[in-house]
Amino acid sequence: MQGLILQLTRAGFLLLLVLFVLAVLRVLRTDIYAESGLRAPRRERAGARSLGMLGLGRTARTLVVTQGALAGTRIALDTSPILIGRADDSTLVLTDDYASNRHARISPRGGDWYLEDLGSTNGTFLDREKVTTAVRVPLRTPVRVGKTVIELRP
């Protein structure tokens, strides 16, 4: 009887060990694919938001910090790009340990604004999607740089 209990205990621990290793492999796999940016950005369904929320027909005029140490900061947009980072020569200087010196750039192209990650360590996110190439930034869409969240507003 004691031999049977001992064997069942060993089998239970072995099963727990296998489940733990599989969980670790799953997390590693998810992190690797998230870093490579293989997932396509989500698209809004037609009619998911009202036209006013999408900002159709309006152009961005200000950049607003909505979360972080600089919440409430507004930067007027013109034709020059906005450099975001911890470097002193950045347009938006962050005091965030999770931001790189030259973290991201928002630049105008035609009538739209585009976001680029400048090789930052922790990444730049547009509405929870990691930015790997230059992407268009819609109005009122959150852009996360470290602990700071910014939006383009009309």
Side-chain angles (χ1 to χ4, degrees), residues 62-65 70 73-95 100-108 113 118 148 150 152:
T62 58
L63 181 134
V64 179
V65 179
L70 299 173
T73 303
R74 295 178 171 271
I75 297 175
L77 300 176
D78 53 11
T79 58
S80 60
I82 305 293
L83 184 62
I84 303 168
R86 292 189 312 182
D88 291 334
D89 62 341
S90 298
T91 311
L92 181 62
V93 179
L94 303 176
T95 56
S100 299
N101 284 333
R102 298 194 184 278
H103 196 101
R105 176 177 41 229
I106 298 178
S107 53
W113 288 83
L118 301 177
T148 305
I150 59 175
L152 294 177

PDB file of all heavy atoms in Angstrom, residues 62-65 70 73-95 100-108 113 118 148 150 152:
ATOM      1  N   THR A  62      -2.746  69.156 -32.072  1.00  0.00           N
ATOM      2  CA  THR A  62      -1.973  69.115 -30.824  1.00  0.00           C
ATOM      3  C   THR A  62      -1.663  67.677 -30.435  1.00  0.00           C
ATOM      4  O   THR A  62      -2.404  66.756 -30.771  1.00  0.00           O
ATOM      5  CB  THR A  62      -2.733  69.775 -29.651  1.00  0.00           C
ATOM      6  OG1 THR A  62      -3.975  69.107 -29.483  1.00  0.00           O
ATOM      7  CG2 THR A  62      -2.965  71.235 -29.875  1.00  0.00           C
ATOM      8  N   LEU A  63      -0.564  67.523 -29.727  1.00  0.00           N
ATOM      9  CA  LEU A  63      -0.192  66.252 -29.126  1.00  0.00           C
ATOM     10  C   LEU A  63      -0.408  66.429 -27.621  1.00  0.00           C
ATOM     11  O   LEU A  63       0.097  67.399 -27.045  1.00  0.00           O
ATOM     12  CB  LEU A  63       1.268  65.941 -29.436  1.00  0.00           C
ATOM     13  CG  LEU A  63       1.782  64.622 -28.894  1.00  0.00           C
ATOM     14  CD1 LEU A  63       2.570  63.902 -29.969  1.00  0.00           C
ATOM     15  CD2 LEU A  63       2.664  64.858 -27.694  1.00  0.00           C
ATOM     16  N   VAL A  64      -1.179  65.522 -27.009  1.00  0.00           N
ATOM     17  CA  VAL A  64      -1.539  65.652 -25.599  1.00  0.00           C
ATOM     18  C   VAL A  64      -1.020  64.443 -24.839  1.00  0.00           C
ATOM     19  O   VAL A  64      -1.221  63.299 -25.268  1.00  0.00           O
ATOM     20  CB  VAL A  64      -3.074  65.752 -25.438  1.00  0.00           C
ATOM     21  CG1 VAL A  64      -3.455  65.852 -23.979  1.00  0.00           C
ATOM     22  CG2 VAL A  64      -3.609  66.936 -26.211  1.00  0.00           C
ATOM     23  N   VAL A  65      -0.356  64.673 -23.708  1.00  0.00           N
ATOM     24  CA  VAL A  65       0.071  63.587 -22.823  1.00  0.00           C
ATOM     25  C   VAL A  65      -1.105  63.288 -21.901  1.00  0.00           C
ATOM     26  O   VAL A  65      -1.538  64.150 -21.140  1.00  0.00           O
ATOM     27  CB  VAL A  65       1.323  63.973 -22.007  1.00  0.00           C
ATOM     28  CG1 VAL A  65       1.734  62.844 -21.082  1.00  0.00           C
ATOM     29  CG2 VAL A  65       2.466  64.364 -22.930  1.00  0.00           C
ATOM     30  N   LEU A  70       4.084  63.567 -17.159  1.00  0.00           N
ATOM     31  CA  LEU A  70       3.819  64.833 -17.843  1.00  0.00           C
ATOM     32  C   LEU A  70       2.357  64.975 -18.267  1.00  0.00           C
ATOM     33  O   LEU A  70       2.052  65.721 -19.201  1.00  0.00           O
ATOM     34  CB  LEU A  70       4.718  64.945 -19.083  1.00  0.00           C
ATOM     35  CG  LEU A  70       6.221  64.940 -18.832  1.00  0.00           C
ATOM     36  CD1 LEU A  70       6.985  64.892 -20.137  1.00  0.00           C
ATOM     37  CD2 LEU A  70       6.621  66.157 -18.029  1.00  0.00           C
ATOM     38  N   THR A  73       0.321  67.800 -20.515  1.00  0.00           N
ATOM     39  CA  THR A  73       1.204  68.568 -21.388  1.00  0.00           C
ATOM     40  C   THR A  73       0.651  68.557 -22.806  1.00  0.00           C
ATOM     41  O   THR A  73       0.208  67.534 -23.310  1.00  0.00           O
ATOM     42  CB  THR A  73       2.624  67.970 -21.387  1.00  0.00           C
ATOM     43  OG1 THR A  73       3.118  67.946 -20.046  1.00  0.00           O
ATOM     44  CG2 THR A  73       3.564  68.763 -22.270  1.00  0.00           C
ATOM     45  N   ARG A  74       0.665  69.728 -23.449  1.00  0.00           N
ATOM     46  CA  ARG A  74       0.195  69.859 -24.829  1.00  0.00           C
ATOM     47  C   ARG A  74       1.313  70.442 -25.689  1.00  0.00           C
ATOM     48  O   ARG A  74       1.987  71.382 -25.277  1.00  0.00           O
ATOM     49  CB  ARG A  74      -1.018  70.780 -24.907  1.00  0.00           C
ATOM     50  CG  ARG A  74      -2.230  70.234 -24.204  1.00  0.00           C
ATOM     51  CD  ARG A  74      -3.392  71.230 -24.273  1.00  0.00           C
ATOM     52  NE  ARG A  74      -4.597  70.624 -23.786  1.00  0.00           N
ATOM     53  CZ  ARG A  74      -5.458  69.934 -24.534  1.00  0.00           C
ATOM     54  NH1 ARG A  74      -5.223  69.797 -25.816  1.00  0.00           N
ATOM     55  NH2 ARG A  74      -6.534  69.404 -24.006  1.00  0.00           N
ATOM     56  N   ILE A  75       1.475  69.873 -26.876  1.00  0.00           N
ATOM     57  CA  ILE A  75       2.463  70.375 -27.831  1.00  0.00           C
ATOM     58  C   ILE A  75       1.721  70.680 -29.125  1.00  0.00           C
ATOM     59  O   ILE A  75       1.046  69.803 -29.678  1.00  0.00           O
ATOM     60  CB  ILE A  75       3.579  69.346 -28.080  1.00  0.00           C
ATOM     61  CG1 ILE A  75       4.346  69.068 -26.795  1.00  0.00           C
ATOM     62  CG2 ILE A  75       4.508  69.820 -29.186  1.00  0.00           C
ATOM     63  CD1 ILE A  75       5.388  67.980 -26.922  1.00  0.00           C
ATOM     64  N   ALA A  76       1.839  71.901 -29.605  1.00  0.00           N
ATOM     65  CA  ALA A  76       1.222  72.292 -30.867  1.00  0.00           C
ATOM     66  C   ALA A  76       1.986  71.641 -32.017  1.00  0.00           C
ATOM     67  O   ALA A  76       3.218  71.642 -32.036  1.00  0.00           O
ATOM     68  CB  ALA A  76       1.220  73.802 -31.014  1.00  0.00           C
ATOM     69  N   LEU A  77       1.251  71.073 -32.952  1.00  0.00           N
ATOM     70  CA  LEU A  77       1.871  70.388 -34.094  1.00  0.00           C
ATOM     71  C   LEU A  77       2.004  71.352 -35.266  1.00  0.00           C
ATOM     72  O   LEU A  77       1.118  72.156 -35.530  1.00  0.00           O
ATOM     73  CB  LEU A  77       1.019  69.185 -34.506  1.00  0.00           C
ATOM     74  CG  LEU A  77       0.821  68.109 -33.439  1.00  0.00           C
ATOM     75  CD1 LEU A  77      -0.123  67.032 -33.944  1.00  0.00           C
ATOM     76  CD2 LEU A  77       2.147  67.503 -33.028  1.00  0.00           C
ATOM     77  N   ASP A  78       3.142  71.272 -35.951  1.00  0.00           N
ATOM     78  CA  ASP A  78       3.333  72.027 -37.175  1.00  0.00           C
ATOM     79  C   ASP A  78       3.886  71.059 -38.216  1.00  0.00           C
ATOM     80  O   ASP A  78       3.502  69.910 -38.228  1.00  0.00           O
ATOM     81  CB  ASP A  78       4.222  73.246 -36.942  1.00  0.00           C
ATOM     82  CG  ASP A  78       5.553  72.900 -36.277  1.00  0.00           C
ATOM     83  OD1 ASP A  78       5.874  71.705 -36.196  1.00  0.00           O
ATOM     84  OD2 ASP A  78       6.273  73.822 -35.855  1.00  0.00           O
ATOM     85  N   THR A  79       4.807  71.454 -39.029  1.00  0.00           N
ATOM     86  CA  THR A  79       5.335  70.574 -40.067  1.00  0.00           C
ATOM     87  C   THR A  79       6.590  69.820 -39.641  1.00  0.00           C
ATOM     88  O   THR A  79       7.087  68.991 -40.384  1.00  0.00           O
ATOM     89  CB  THR A  79       5.660  71.380 -41.337  1.00  0.00           C
ATOM     90  OG1 THR A  79       6.595  72.406 -40.995  1.00  0.00           O
ATOM     91  CG2 THR A  79       4.403  71.997 -41.922  1.00  0.00           C
ATOM     92  N   SER A  80       7.109  70.095 -38.452  1.00  0.00           N
ATOM     93  CA  SER A  80       8.324  69.422 -38.003  1.00  0.00           C
ATOM     94  C   SER A  80       7.981  68.166 -37.197  1.00  0.00           C
ATOM     95  O   SER A  80       6.975  68.124 -36.498  1.00  0.00           O
ATOM     96  CB  SER A  80       9.190  70.372 -37.175  1.00  0.00           C
ATOM     97  OG  SER A  80       8.471  70.815 -36.056  1.00  0.00           O
ATOM     98  N   PRO A  81       8.822  67.142 -37.273  1.00  0.00           N
ATOM     99  CA  PRO A  81       8.568  65.908 -36.515  1.00  0.00           C
ATOM    100  C   PRO A  81       8.737  66.125 -35.011  1.00  0.00           C
ATOM    101  O   PRO A  81       9.457  67.021 -34.577  1.00  0.00           O
ATOM    102  CB  PRO A  81       9.610  64.921 -37.042  1.00  0.00           C
ATOM    103  CG  PRO A  81      10.593  65.713 -37.795  1.00  0.00           C
ATOM    104  CD  PRO A  81      10.001  67.036 -38.118  1.00  0.00           C
ATOM    105  N   ILE A  82       8.075  65.266 -34.240  1.00  0.00           N
ATOM    106  CA  ILE A  82       8.147  65.302 -32.777  1.00  0.00           C
ATOM    107  C   ILE A  82       9.026  64.132 -32.340  1.00  0.00           C
ATOM    108  O   ILE A  82       8.695  62.974 -32.607  1.00  0.00           O
ATOM    109  CB  ILE A  82       6.750  65.147 -32.146  1.00  0.00           C
ATOM    110  CG1 ILE A  82       5.780  66.197 -32.678  1.00  0.00           C
ATOM    111  CG2 ILE A  82       6.834  65.172 -30.632  1.00  0.00           C
ATOM    112  CD1 ILE A  82       6.094  67.593 -32.271  1.00  0.00           C
ATOM    113  N   LEU A  83      10.145  64.421 -31.707  1.00  0.00           N
ATOM    114  CA  LEU A  83      11.041  63.396 -31.190  1.00  0.00           C
ATOM    115  C   LEU A  83      10.701  63.159 -29.720  1.00  0.00           C
ATOM    116  O   LEU A  83      10.590  64.118 -28.953  1.00  0.00           O
ATOM    117  CB  LEU A  83      12.497  63.820 -31.346  1.00  0.00           C
ATOM    118  CG  LEU A  83      13.561  62.813 -30.930  1.00  0.00           C
ATOM    119  CD1 LEU A  83      13.475  61.553 -31.785  1.00  0.00           C
ATOM    120  CD2 LEU A  83      14.940  63.418 -31.049  1.00  0.00           C
ATOM    121  N   ILE A  84      10.514  61.887 -29.350  1.00  0.00           N
ATOM    122  CA  ILE A  84      10.120  61.534 -27.984  1.00  0.00           C
ATOM    123  C   ILE A  84      11.218  60.687 -27.369  1.00  0.00           C
ATOM    124  O   ILE A  84      11.661  59.707 -27.968  1.00  0.00           O
ATOM    125  CB  ILE A  84       8.796  60.750 -28.002  1.00  0.00           C
ATOM    126  CG1 ILE A  84       7.713  61.569 -28.689  1.00  0.00           C
ATOM    127  CG2 ILE A  84       8.364  60.371 -26.592  1.00  0.00           C
ATOM    128  CD1 ILE A  84       6.468  60.782 -29.016  1.00  0.00           C
ATOM    129  N   GLY A  85      11.663  61.054 -26.168  1.00  0.00           N
ATOM    130  CA  GLY A  85      12.686  60.280 -25.486  1.00  0.00           C
ATOM    131  C   GLY A  85      13.239  61.016 -24.277  1.00  0.00           C
ATOM    132  O   GLY A  85      12.748  62.067 -23.890  1.00  0.00           O
ATOM    133  N   ARG A  86      14.282  60.432 -23.694  1.00  0.00           N
ATOM    134  CA  ARG A  86      14.903  61.028 -22.512  1.00  0.00           C
ATOM    135  C   ARG A  86      15.998  62.024 -22.847  1.00  0.00           C
ATOM    136  O   ARG A  86      16.466  62.749 -21.973  1.00  0.00           O
ATOM    137  CB  ARG A  86      15.477  59.929 -21.618  1.00  0.00           C
ATOM    138  CG  ARG A  86      14.415  59.066 -20.994  1.00  0.00           C
ATOM    139  CD  ARG A  86      14.958  58.141 -19.957  1.00  0.00           C
ATOM    140  NE  ARG A  86      16.142  57.432 -20.422  1.00  0.00           N
ATOM    141  CZ  ARG A  86      16.797  56.536 -19.717  1.00  0.00           C
ATOM    142  NH1 ARG A  86      16.398  56.234 -18.509  1.00  0.00           N
ATOM    143  NH2 ARG A  86      17.850  55.933 -20.206  1.00  0.00           N
ATOM    144  N   ALA A  87      16.427  62.078 -24.094  1.00  0.00           N
ATOM    145  CA  ALA A  87      17.503  62.993 -24.490  1.00  0.00           C
ATOM    146  C   ALA A  87      17.043  64.446 -24.344  1.00  0.00           C
ATOM    147  O   ALA A  87      15.872  64.760 -24.551  1.00  0.00           O
ATOM    148  CB  ALA A  87      17.924  62.725 -25.933  1.00  0.00           C
ATOM    149  N   ASP A  88      17.972  65.326 -23.983  1.00  0.00           N
ATOM    150  CA  ASP A  88      17.638  66.731 -23.760  1.00  0.00           C
ATOM    151  C   ASP A  88      17.169  67.442 -25.023  1.00  0.00           C
ATOM    152  O   ASP A  88      16.437  68.421 -24.944  1.00  0.00           O
ATOM    153  CB  ASP A  88      18.841  67.473 -23.178  1.00  0.00           C
ATOM    154  CG  ASP A  88      19.145  67.024 -21.757  1.00  0.00           C
ATOM    155  OD1 ASP A  88      18.210  66.554 -21.079  1.00  0.00           O
ATOM    156  OD2 ASP A  88      20.312  67.142 -21.338  1.00  0.00           O
ATOM    157  N   ASP A  89      17.594  66.976 -26.197  1.00  0.00           N
ATOM    158  CA  ASP A  89      17.188  67.639 -27.435  1.00  0.00           C
ATOM    159  C   ASP A  89      15.878  67.085 -27.997  1.00  0.00           C
ATOM    160  O   ASP A  89      15.478  67.451 -29.099  1.00  0.00           O
ATOM    161  CB  ASP A  89      18.310  67.550 -28.472  1.00  0.00           C
ATOM    162  CG  ASP A  89      18.634  66.122 -28.864  1.00  0.00           C
ATOM    163  OD1 ASP A  89      18.276  65.199 -28.110  1.00  0.00           O
ATOM    164  OD2 ASP A  89      19.252  65.936 -29.926  1.00  0.00           O
ATOM    165  N   SER A  90      15.179  66.221 -27.259  1.00  0.00           N
ATOM    166  CA  SER A  90      13.885  65.693 -27.696  1.00  0.00           C
ATOM    167  C   SER A  90      12.829  66.781 -27.598  1.00  0.00           C
ATOM    168  O   SER A  90      12.910  67.677 -26.757  1.00  0.00           O
ATOM    169  CB  SER A  90      13.459  64.508 -26.828  1.00  0.00           C
ATOM    170  OG  SER A  90      14.376  63.452 -26.946  1.00  0.00           O
ATOM    171  N   THR A  91      11.823  66.693 -28.462  1.00  0.00           N
ATOM    172  CA  THR A  91      10.708  67.632 -28.392  1.00  0.00           C
ATOM    173  C   THR A  91       9.894  67.385 -27.138  1.00  0.00           C
ATOM    174  O   THR A  91       9.508  68.316 -26.443  1.00  0.00           O
ATOM    175  CB  THR A  91       9.808  67.481 -29.636  1.00  0.00           C
ATOM    176  OG1 THR A  91      10.616  67.495 -30.802  1.00  0.00           O
ATOM    177  CG2 THR A  91       8.783  68.593 -29.708  1.00  0.00           C
ATOM    178  N   LEU A  92       9.633  66.103 -26.830  1.00  0.00           N
ATOM    179  CA  LEU A  92       8.942  65.712 -25.599  1.00  0.00           C
ATOM    180  C   LEU A  92       9.945  64.927 -24.757  1.00  0.00           C
ATOM    181  O   LEU A  92      10.225  63.760 -25.033  1.00  0.00           O
ATOM    182  CB  LEU A  92       7.709  64.858 -25.913  1.00  0.00           C
ATOM    183  CG  LEU A  92       6.879  64.389 -24.727  1.00  0.00           C
ATOM    184  CD1 LEU A  92       6.314  65.583 -23.962  1.00  0.00           C
ATOM    185  CD2 LEU A  92       5.755  63.487 -25.182  1.00  0.00           C
ATOM    186  N   VAL A  93      10.522  65.586 -23.758  1.00  0.00           N
ATOM    187  CA  VAL A  93      11.550  64.972 -22.907  1.00  0.00           C
ATOM    188  C   VAL A  93      10.866  64.222 -21.772  1.00  0.00           C
ATOM    189  O   VAL A  93      10.151  64.823 -20.962  1.00  0.00           O
ATOM    190  CB  VAL A  93      12.519  66.032 -22.342  1.00  0.00           C
ATOM    191  CG1 VAL A  93      13.562  65.376 -21.452  1.00  0.00           C
ATOM    192  CG2 VAL A  93      13.180  66.801 -23.467  1.00  0.00           C
ATOM    193  N   LEU A  94      11.069  62.905 -21.723  1.00  0.00           N
ATOM    194  CA  LEU A  94      10.454  62.060 -20.710  1.00  0.00           C
ATOM    195  C   LEU A  94      11.436  61.780 -19.583  1.00  0.00           C
ATOM    196  O   LEU A  94      12.631  61.600 -19.824  1.00  0.00           O
ATOM    197  CB  LEU A  94      10.002  60.737 -21.333  1.00  0.00           C
ATOM    198  CG  LEU A  94       9.038  60.834 -22.508  1.00  0.00           C
ATOM    199  CD1 LEU A  94       8.756  59.453 -23.065  1.00  0.00           C
ATOM    200  CD2 LEU A  94       7.755  61.517 -22.091  1.00  0.00           C
ATOM    201  N   THR A  95      10.929  61.729 -18.372  1.00  0.00           N
ATOM    202  CA  THR A  95      11.736  61.341 -17.213  1.00  0.00           C
ATOM    203  C   THR A  95      11.277  59.963 -16.770  1.00  0.00           C
ATOM    204  O   THR A  95      10.959  59.738 -15.614  1.00  0.00           O
ATOM    205  CB  THR A  95      11.566  62.351 -16.073  1.00  0.00           C
ATOM    206  OG1 THR A  95      10.172  62.447 -15.761  1.00  0.00           O
ATOM    207  CG2 THR A  95      12.096  63.714 -16.462  1.00  0.00           C
ATOM    208  N   SER A 100      13.657  55.128 -23.849  1.00  0.00           N
ATOM    209  CA  SER A 100      15.037  55.239 -24.330  1.00  0.00           C
ATOM    210  C   SER A 100      15.374  56.709 -24.577  1.00  0.00           C
ATOM    211  O   SER A 100      14.491  57.566 -24.603  1.00  0.00           O
ATOM    212  CB  SER A 100      15.197  54.445 -25.628  1.00  0.00           C
ATOM    213  OG  SER A 100      14.920  53.085 -25.410  1.00  0.00           O
ATOM    214  N   ASN A 101      16.654  56.993 -24.796  1.00  0.00           N
ATOM    215  CA  ASN A 101      17.071  58.367 -25.077  1.00  0.00           C
ATOM    216  C   ASN A 101      16.385  58.901 -26.328  1.00  0.00           C
ATOM    217  O   ASN A 101      15.886  60.013 -26.347  1.00  0.00           O
ATOM    218  CB  ASN A 101      18.588  58.462 -25.229  1.00  0.00           C
ATOM    219  CG  ASN A 101      19.284  58.389 -23.896  1.00  0.00           C
ATOM    220  OD1 ASN A 101      18.734  58.754 -22.870  1.00  0.00           O
ATOM    221  ND2 ASN A 101      20.511  57.890 -23.911  1.00  0.00           N
ATOM    222  N   ARG A 102      16.404  58.143 -27.375  1.00  0.00           N
ATOM    223  CA  ARG A 102      15.677  58.472 -28.608  1.00  0.00           C
ATOM    224  C   ARG A 102      14.707  57.328 -28.841  1.00  0.00           C
ATOM    225  O   ARG A 102      15.024  56.361 -29.525  1.00  0.00           O
ATOM    226  CB  ARG A 102      16.630  58.636 -29.769  1.00  0.00           C
ATOM    227  CG  ARG A 102      17.601  59.759 -29.563  1.00  0.00           C
ATOM    228  CD  ARG A 102      18.304  60.118 -30.850  1.00  0.00           C
ATOM    229  NE  ARG A 102      19.313  61.141 -30.631  1.00  0.00           N
ATOM    230  CZ  ARG A 102      19.045  62.430 -30.557  1.00  0.00           C
ATOM    231  NH1 ARG A 102      17.812  62.842 -30.657  1.00  0.00           N
ATOM    232  NH2 ARG A 102      20.009  63.300 -30.363  1.00  0.00           N
ATOM    233  N   HIS A 103      13.522  57.446 -28.296  1.00  0.00           N
ATOM    234  CA  HIS A 103      12.570  56.339 -28.245  1.00  0.00           C
ATOM    235  C   HIS A 103      11.712  56.255 -29.506  1.00  0.00           C
ATOM    236  O   HIS A 103      11.646  55.207 -30.143  1.00  0.00           O
ATOM    237  CB  HIS A 103      11.678  56.492 -27.006  1.00  0.00           C
ATOM    238  CG  HIS A 103      10.957  55.246 -26.654  1.00  0.00           C
ATOM    239  ND1 HIS A 103      11.373  54.420 -25.634  1.00  0.00           N
ATOM    240  CD2 HIS A 103       9.865  54.669 -27.169  1.00  0.00           C
ATOM    241  CE1 HIS A 103      10.559  53.388 -25.551  1.00  0.00           C
ATOM    242  NE2 HIS A 103       9.627  53.528 -26.471  1.00  0.00           N
ATOM    243  N   ALA A 104      11.030  57.338 -29.854  1.00  0.00           N
ATOM    244  CA  ALA A 104      10.103  57.300 -30.991  1.00  0.00           C
ATOM    245  C   ALA A 104      10.036  58.668 -31.652  1.00  0.00           C
ATOM    246  O   ALA A 104      10.458  59.675 -31.087  1.00  0.00           O
ATOM    247  CB  ALA A 104       8.716  56.881 -30.515  1.00  0.00           C
ATOM    248  N   ARG A 105       9.465  58.655 -32.875  1.00  0.00           N
ATOM    249  CA  ARG A 105       9.283  59.901 -33.613  1.00  0.00           C
ATOM    250  C   ARG A 105       7.898  59.884 -34.249  1.00  0.00           C
ATOM    251  O   ARG A 105       7.475  58.879 -34.802  1.00  0.00           O
ATOM    252  CB  ARG A 105      10.353  60.040 -34.699  1.00  0.00           C
ATOM    253  CG  ARG A 105      10.170  61.241 -35.567  1.00  0.00           C
ATOM    254  CD  ARG A 105      11.273  61.438 -36.603  1.00  0.00           C
ATOM    255  NE  ARG A 105      11.695  60.199 -37.219  1.00  0.00           N
ATOM    256  CZ  ARG A 105      12.988  59.831 -37.342  1.00  0.00           C
ATOM    257  NH1 ARG A 105      13.937  60.592 -36.873  1.00  0.00           N
ATOM    258  NH2 ARG A 105      13.297  58.698 -37.923  1.00  0.00           N
ATOM    259  N   ILE A 106       7.214  61.011 -34.130  1.00  0.00           N
ATOM    260  CA  ILE A 106       5.935  61.196 -34.818  1.00  0.00           C
ATOM    261  C   ILE A 106       6.168  62.286 -35.850  1.00  0.00           C
ATOM    262  O   ILE A 106       6.553  63.406 -35.503  1.00  0.00           O
ATOM    263  CB  ILE A 106       4.821  61.605 -33.839  1.00  0.00           C
ATOM    264  CG1 ILE A 106       4.617  60.502 -32.808  1.00  0.00           C
ATOM    265  CG2 ILE A 106       3.522  61.881 -34.590  1.00  0.00           C
ATOM    266  CD1 ILE A 106       3.573  60.825 -31.757  1.00  0.00           C
ATOM    267  N   SER A 107       5.975  61.940 -37.139  1.00  0.00           N
ATOM    268  CA  SER A 107       6.284  62.896 -38.194  1.00  0.00           C
ATOM    269  C   SER A 107       5.124  62.998 -39.179  1.00  0.00           C
ATOM    270  O   SER A 107       4.411  62.031 -39.410  1.00  0.00           O
ATOM    271  CB  SER A 107       7.567  62.483 -38.923  1.00  0.00           C
ATOM    272  OG  SER A 107       7.470  61.153 -39.366  1.00  0.00           O
ATOM    273  N   PRO A 108       4.953  64.200 -39.770  1.00  0.00           N
ATOM    274  CA  PRO A 108       3.861  64.387 -40.731  1.00  0.00           C
ATOM    275  C   PRO A 108       4.240  63.858 -42.107  1.00  0.00           C
ATOM    276  O   PRO A 108       5.391  63.968 -42.543  1.00  0.00           O
ATOM    277  CB  PRO A 108       3.689  65.913 -40.753  1.00  0.00           C
ATOM    278  CG  PRO A 108       5.037  66.445 -40.413  1.00  0.00           C
ATOM    279  CD  PRO A 108       5.661  65.439 -39.489  1.00  0.00           C
ATOM    280  N   TRP A 113      -0.215  61.819 -39.670  1.00  0.00           N
ATOM    281  CA  TRP A 113       0.961  61.718 -38.810  1.00  0.00           C
ATOM    282  C   TRP A 113       1.325  60.256 -38.669  1.00  0.00           C
ATOM    283  O   TRP A 113       0.458  59.397 -38.499  1.00  0.00           O
ATOM    284  CB  TRP A 113       0.682  62.346 -37.445  1.00  0.00           C
ATOM    285  CG  TRP A 113       0.603  63.831 -37.526  1.00  0.00           C
ATOM    286  CD1 TRP A 113      -0.471  64.584 -37.879  1.00  0.00           C
ATOM    287  CD2 TRP A 113       1.665  64.743 -37.280  1.00  0.00           C
ATOM    288  NE1 TRP A 113      -0.150  65.907 -37.871  1.00  0.00           N
ATOM    289  CE2 TRP A 113       1.153  66.044 -37.493  1.00  0.00           C
ATOM    290  CE3 TRP A 113       2.986  64.607 -36.896  1.00  0.00           C
ATOM    291  CZ2 TRP A 113       1.929  67.185 -37.341  1.00  0.00           C
ATOM    292  CZ3 TRP A 113       3.752  65.745 -36.726  1.00  0.00           C
ATOM    293  CH2 TRP A 113       3.232  67.015 -36.959  1.00  0.00           C
ATOM    294  N   LEU A 118      12.279  54.147 -32.760  1.00  0.00           N
ATOM    295  CA  LEU A 118      13.677  54.406 -33.131  1.00  0.00           C
ATOM    296  C   LEU A 118      14.634  53.400 -32.493  1.00  0.00           C
ATOM    297  O   LEU A 118      15.706  53.762 -32.039  1.00  0.00           O
ATOM    298  CB  LEU A 118      14.058  55.834 -32.745  1.00  0.00           C
ATOM    299  CG  LEU A 118      13.207  56.932 -33.395  1.00  0.00           C
ATOM    300  CD1 LEU A 118      13.622  58.295 -32.875  1.00  0.00           C
ATOM    301  CD2 LEU A 118      13.308  56.867 -34.906  1.00  0.00           C
ATOM    302  N   THR A 148       4.374  56.532 -20.314  1.00  0.00           N
ATOM    303  CA  THR A 148       3.709  57.723 -20.811  1.00  0.00           C
ATOM    304  C   THR A 148       2.778  57.368 -21.966  1.00  0.00           C
ATOM    305  O   THR A 148       3.152  56.598 -22.845  1.00  0.00           O
ATOM    306  CB  THR A 148       4.743  58.764 -21.295  1.00  0.00           C
ATOM    307  OG1 THR A 148       5.650  59.029 -20.210  1.00  0.00           O
ATOM    308  CG2 THR A 148       4.094  60.040 -21.739  1.00  0.00           C
ATOM    309  N   ILE A 150       0.353  59.148 -24.966  1.00  0.00           N
ATOM    310  CA  ILE A 150       0.066  60.389 -25.674  1.00  0.00           C
ATOM    311  C   ILE A 150      -1.008  60.125 -26.720  1.00  0.00           C
ATOM    312  O   ILE A 150      -1.217  58.974 -27.135  1.00  0.00           O
ATOM    313  CB  ILE A 150       1.329  60.977 -26.324  1.00  0.00           C
ATOM    314  CG1 ILE A 150       1.937  59.979 -27.308  1.00  0.00           C
ATOM    315  CG2 ILE A 150       2.340  61.397 -25.291  1.00  0.00           C
ATOM    316  CD1 ILE A 150       3.116  60.514 -28.076  1.00  0.00           C
ATOM    317  N   LEU A 152      -2.971  62.155 -30.355  1.00  0.00           N
ATOM    318  CA  LEU A 152      -3.099  63.287 -31.267  1.00  0.00           C
ATOM    319  C   LEU A 152      -4.534  63.776 -31.169  1.00  0.00           C
ATOM    320  O   LEU A 152      -5.470  62.981 -31.215  1.00  0.00           O
ATOM    321  CB  LEU A 152      -2.778  62.876 -32.712  1.00  0.00           C
ATOM    322  CG  LEU A 152      -1.341  62.453 -32.982  1.00  0.00           C
ATOM    323  CD1 LEU A 152      -1.200  62.018 -34.431  1.00  0.00           C
ATOM    324  CD2 LEU A 152      -0.382  63.574 -32.673  1.00  0.00           C
TER     325      LEU A 152
END
